[in-house]
Amino acid sequence: MVSVIVTVYNLEKCLESCIDSILASTYKDLEILLVDDGSKDQSGAICDKYAESDNRFKVIHKENGGLSDARNTGMSHATGEYIMFVDGDDLIHPNMIQVLVDAMQSGDYDVSMVQGIQLFEADCEKYMSDKELGLASNHKILTQRDYMRGLLGTSNSEFQYIVVWNKLYKSDLARSVQFRKTKSVSEDLEWSLQIGLKINKIHWVEAWMYFWIQHPSSITHQGMSLGQVERINSYLFSLNNIPQEEHTYRSWCLEKLYKVMLHTRYNAKGTQYEDLVRSLVSSAYKTTVKEYLKSEISFPKKSGLMIFYHLPMTYKLFMKLKARKVKRIVRSRSGMLYVQED
């Protein structure tokens, strides 16, 4: 059985679409835990309505404690062999859970995963209507090293490794780590890194099957925020959770930390967070610079990041040049892709 943990907070306008997408799953042996995190709208009532008509639902009403606390609560009530997470304003493809279970059971895997994609809800239909989606897709087998490289990388696919909602976990593995309550938007990163240190192999099915629905009010569309600032502390937290003997993983984390520090300092310039960021970056630098200089980061990257740190104007120039040259892939509301020159 798969325990599907759905986190809910003030989602009355989109919650039914999310739940209906789970109910449409071709895999039926489900336990659906609706964790109502102190919603002030009708979300709680919607959860109760579904539970009245289908005994696979468990509704947990709790005081508001945030996303991490809601996920931890869901895990504490889960009884399935496997656990997966769904945010209550997103959608999943009907084949997603079956594909994940088949991938997990095809070998000795700790985690299976598909791909998530950012879409407006109106653009999901072309994916939802594809009844064969995921059934004949390419497969990748990832080692722990592969996963950690992706998790601490800077590629466009980085978020596929970080997020928890595109994966299926063995229940004992998932429950072995609690989500940390944080002001950051990086609770997934912190939890996923700790999980990554415990795994051996992951089965990745390369199919777009989780639909991360975009809303204009979403935190991911906001400018500089305290959550964005706190990403610095999230990477420090992650670094502190990597054993000292794991030199390669620590080097990757340090490289990512310094890039986040530089980028956050650049974006915080002229905002209400400028002084806070300056203080956080200075403190993080002091506690990590000795290890950074001795790390396995290549000399060109290491020296380049140090120049950017000590001469902020060089980073500003770098960002301006990058903005002129980079080509952005823009997804229209119709789902079409086109290239736009900056």
Side-chain angles (χ1 to χ4, degrees):
M1 182 171 66
V2 174
S3 294
V4 183
I5 298 172
V6 184
T7 49
V8 179
Y9 180 67
N10 292 348
L11 297 175
E12 62 181 7
K13 294 182 179 180
C14 51
L15 180 58
E16 291 184 343
S17 294
C18 173
I19 297 175
D20 288 344
S21 76
I22 298 170
L23 288 176
S25 175
T26 56
Y27 186 88
K28 301 299 183 183
D29 190 12
L30 302 175
E31 173 186 60
I32 308 169
L33 298 106
L34 304 177
V35 185
D36 172 25
D37 191 33
S39 297
K40 298 177 181 178
D41 62 4
Q42 293 300 306
S43 295
I46 293 172
C47 293
D48 292 336
K49 179 189 72 173
Y50 278 92
E52 290 172 0
S53 60
D54 192 325
N55 61 14
R56 292 179 298 171
F57 286 94
K58 291 183 180 179
V59 180
I60 305 160
H61 298 288
K62 59 184 288 296
E63 293 184 0
N64 181 252
L67 179 60
S68 292
D69 189 58
R71 286 173 172 169
N72 291 336
T73 298
M75 286 196 290
S76 71
H77 286 78
T79 62
E81 181 182 2
Y82 305 114
I83 283 176
M84 64 178 290
F85 301 96
V86 176
D87 288 352
D89 54 350
D90 292 338
L91 304 175
I92 68 170
H93 188 275
N95 291 342
M96 176 177 167
I97 301 177
Q98 185 69 64
V99 166
L100 286 170
V101 171
D102 288 347
M104 183 76 87
Q105 295 181 344
S106 66
D108 185 19
Y109 301 107
D110 302 294
V111 179
S112 58
M113 62 184 285
V114 293
Q115 291 171 272
I117 186 171
Q118 299 182 47
L119 291 173
F120 292 99
E121 185 171 355
D123 298 330
C124 290
E125 181 56 35
K126 67 174 183 177
Y127 292 94
M128 291 292 202
S129 61
D130 184 353
K131 295 182 179 181
E132 300 300 314
L133 187 65
L135 302 181
S137 300
N138 292 329
H139 293 238
K140 284 183 180 179
I141 308 304
L142 306 178
T143 64
Q144 182 189 76
R145 183 183 175 91
D146 295 331
Y147 176 75
M148 295 295 285
R149 176 70 280 190
L151 185 72
L152 297 169
T154 56
S155 71
N156 291 333
S157 62
E158 175 190 2
F159 90 95
Q160 303 286 353
Y161 296 86
I162 292 176
V163 295
V164 303
W165 35 248
N166 63 338
K167 301 177 182 70
L168 185 71
Y169 303 89
K170 289 182 177 178
S171 291
D172 289 344
L173 172 65
R175 281 194 290 262
S176 70
V177 178
Q178 291 282 287
F179 284 89
R180 189 171 75 102
K181 294 182 181 180
T182 172
K183 296 177 182 178
S184 174
V185 294
S186 302
E187 57 270 292
D188 283 21
L189 165 71
E190 298 175 5
W191 189 84
S192 293
L193 181 133
Q194 292 175 87
I195 290 292
L197 293 169
K198 296 172 177 280
I199 64 174
N200 292 310
K201 290 191 298 182
I202 290 181
H203 193 152
W204 185 355
V205 182
E206 294 184 303
W208 307 104
M209 305 192 79
Y210 187 98
F211 310 121
W212 180 15
I213 305 302
Q214 301 303 288
H215 307 281
S217 59
S218 170
I219 190 170
T220 57
H221 295 292
Q222 297 174 7
M224 181 59 60
S225 65
L226 183 59
Q228 295 290 331
V229 172
E230 284 290 322
R231 290 183 68 222
I232 297 170
N233 284 331
S234 285
Y235 279 99
L236 275 174
F237 176 85
S238 298
L239 180 66
N240 291 332
N241 275 275
I242 300 174
Q244 290 291 333
E245 62 271 19
E246 296 287 359
H247 302 296
T248 299
Y249 296 168
R250 291 183 67 86
S251 294
W252 291 343
C253 193
L254 280 164
E255 180 184 347
K256 184 66 178 183
L257 169 63
Y258 273 63
K259 288 180 177 179
V260 168
M261 285 162 51
L262 291 169
H263 195 65
T264 305
R265 185 174 66 178
Y266 173 78
N267 285 313
K269 189 72 173 178
T271 73
Q272 62 179 311
Y273 301 106
E274 183 174 359
D275 291 340
L276 174 60
V277 170
R278 185 184 300 112
S279 176
L280 282 175
V281 169
S282 177
S283 175
Y285 177 82
K286 289 177 181 178
T287 58
T288 62
V289 64
K290 288 184 179 179
E291 182 178 4
Y292 174 83
L293 293 174
K294 296 178 181 179
S295 71
E296 297 177 5
I297 303 171
S298 67
F299 178 77
K301 286 184 179 179
K302 192 182 301 183
S303 57
L305 292 174
M306 289 299 287
I307 291 172
F308 287 154
Y309 179 84
H310 290 288
L311 298 172
M313 286 300 297
T314 60
Y315 187 73
K316 182 177 180 180
L317 177 61
F318 168 78
M319 291 301 290
K320 285 185 176 181
L321 291 174
K322 183 178 179 181
R324 290 176 182 174
K325 294 179 180 179
V326 70
K327 292 182 177 180
R328 294 189 291 115
I329 301 297
V330 180
R331 184 174 295 277
S332 72
R333 290 185 63 90
S334 64
M336 298 296 290
L337 293 176
Y338 63 94
V339 175
Q340 175 174 305
E341 295 281 357
D342 277 332

